[in-house]
Amino acid sequence: MLPSKAQIIELGPRDGLQNEKQTVPTEIKVDLIHRLVDAGVTKLETTSFVSPKWVPQMGDNTEVMNAIQRKPGVVYSVLVPNMKGYEAAVLTKPDEVTVFGAASEAFSQKNINCSIAESIERFAPVVEAALAAGMKVRAAMSCTVGCPYEGEIAPERVEYLAGLLKNIGVQQVAVADTIGVGTPLKVQRAIEATLKHFSVDQISGHFHDTYGQALANTLAAVQMGVWQHETSVAGLGGCPYAKGATGNVATEDVVYMLHGMGIDTGIDLDKLIDAGQMISDFLNRPSGSRVARALLTKRASAACA
């Protein structure tokens, strides 16, 4: 049975922009966050507290968090890699912190320079501190179907990672196809493995569109009852440690699909498209959303009629 409602977890301001080579000013990031919230987004990743040496685009994390005008009922989340990042993040009072682990040992080494087991040891005190401070804790599970270094990932690896994250107190996990090689059945197997430790209400999908499968994979997750979906406005995003990975599934495309299925997201698609157009214009590129491009063309045609 399909869910009647869906929660969009917007990643554009963090995951969407982190890999951009041109500097995105703080005021543009803040404007994007405000536009997304005005469009009806009620949960979003605003920034990450990682070393600016490794991710310079997120070097203004404190400034972004201090500049946003928070709206009641909206969850403002930040990514933290370790206790040092958490200690900086907590000063800005996020509603949620996100940690991250990989189902691939090779990717874990490349991404955060440690094994999967060591990464869990690193995140355990972060999770404990965040929960004690009354914050929510989410984890991204990277490379759940494929890895740029190891190739295809077995569901057993996903189950192993999910169990480790559950044991340290993580409340919600994202099943992430980090390099976009997944297909619907592979994604469903990864979700089935995760369900051995987390309920469907504690799972979100996170799909990249490298091979054009992200929307199909989102639908496959929906058909399993998954109602939380991590997306990025205008399809922005990529991973600096996953060569060849392209953008996240576009928020506009997912919202359009869900609305067409009678699933309520609470999001105004027109306002969402405007937010995506703003950041696309700033980056001087067309939107990565097919829906946005089509509806903007329709708007322009109607204006000329």
Side-chain angles (χ1 to χ4, degrees):
M1 184 175 177
L2 296 176
S4 60
K5 293 185 178 182
Q7 168 81 69
I8 295 296
I9 303 170
E10 174 59 53
L11 306 181
R14 197 280 302 175
D15 194 17
L17 296 178
Q18 69 176 3
N19 211 32
E20 292 293 329
K21 290 184 172 54
Q22 70 178 101
T23 300
V24 180
T26 301
E27 58 268 25
I28 294 292
K29 295 174 184 174
V30 171
D31 184 27
L32 177 60
I33 291 166
H34 288 165
R35 286 171 180 261
L36 290 166
V37 171
D38 184 58
V41 170
T42 56
K43 188 170 184 177
L44 72 168
E45 284 191 355
T46 54
T47 187
S48 63
F49 284 81
V50 296
S51 169
K53 175 183 175 182
W54 301 112
V55 188
Q57 190 68 256
M58 298 289 110
D60 61 347
N61 40 38
T62 297
E63 289 82 358
V64 168
M65 288 297 287
N66 289 338
I68 55 177
Q69 298 296 313
R70 302 196 191 192
K71 184 176 180 179
V74 176
V75 175
Y76 298 89
S77 180
V78 298
L79 186 83
V80 295
N82 47 39
M83 275 304 293
K84 183 177 179 180
Y86 171 79
E87 287 164 358
V90 74
L91 298 176
T92 67
K93 299 181 176 165
D95 301 298
E96 178 184 73
V97 297
T98 303
V99 296
F100 48 95
S104 155
E105 286 288 357
F107 189 81
S108 183
Q109 291 287 353
K110 290 282 186 178
N111 192 24
I112 51 177
N113 300 309
C114 65
S115 69
I116 294 172
E118 289 168 338
S119 75
I120 298 301
E121 290 178 11
R122 184 182 297 177
F123 291 132
V126 173
V127 174
E128 182 180 10
L131 293 175
M135 284 182 274
K136 299 177 182 179
V137 180
R138 190 170 93 253
M141 300 198 301
S142 303
C143 298
T144 59
V145 291
C147 169
Y149 311 106
E150 292 185 14
E152 190 164 334
I153 298 297
E156 290 77 17
R157 301 304 302 167
V158 181
E159 181 183 345
Y160 169 69
L161 176 61
L164 293 176
L165 291 168
K166 183 71 171 181
N167 287 341
I168 63 171
V170 168
Q171 298 165 312
Q172 180 182 338
V173 289
V175 177
D177 179 16
T178 309
I179 58 172
V181 296
T183 51
L185 285 178
K186 289 180 181 179
V187 163
Q188 288 182 334
R189 291 185 189 117
I191 292 172
E192 285 170 356
T194 307
L195 283 167
K196 295 188 177 171
H197 298 285
F198 291 89
S199 74
V200 73
D201 293 332
Q202 298 171 316
I203 294 173
S204 54
H206 177 134
F207 307 117
H208 286 247
D209 208 31
T210 312
Y211 289 85
Q213 300 295 296
L215 204 58
N217 291 338
T218 301
L219 177 59
V222 171
Q223 290 171 331
M224 293 184 72
V226 173
W227 55 275
Q228 298 181 85
H229 308 282
E230 301 189 359
T231 64
S232 180
V233 67
L236 295 173
C239 178
Y241 301 98
K243 188 177 180 180
T246 54
N248 295 284
V249 66
T251 308
E252 300 94 323
D253 295 356
V254 172
V255 168
Y256 180 83
M257 180 185 77
L258 294 174
H259 287 182
M261 297 171 68
I263 299 174
D264 180 30
T265 66
I267 291 177
D268 183 318
L269 183 57
D270 286 327
K271 287 185 176 182
L272 180 65
I273 288 171
D274 290 340
Q277 190 61 36
M278 182 279 290
I279 193 63
S280 297
D281 286 345
F282 175 81
L283 297 170
N284 195 29
R285 70 176 66 149
S287 172
S289 162
R290 297 180 183 88
V291 164
R293 295 198 302 270
L295 292 181
L296 285 168
T297 299
K298 187 176 179 180
R299 273 191 206 173
S301 298
C304 294

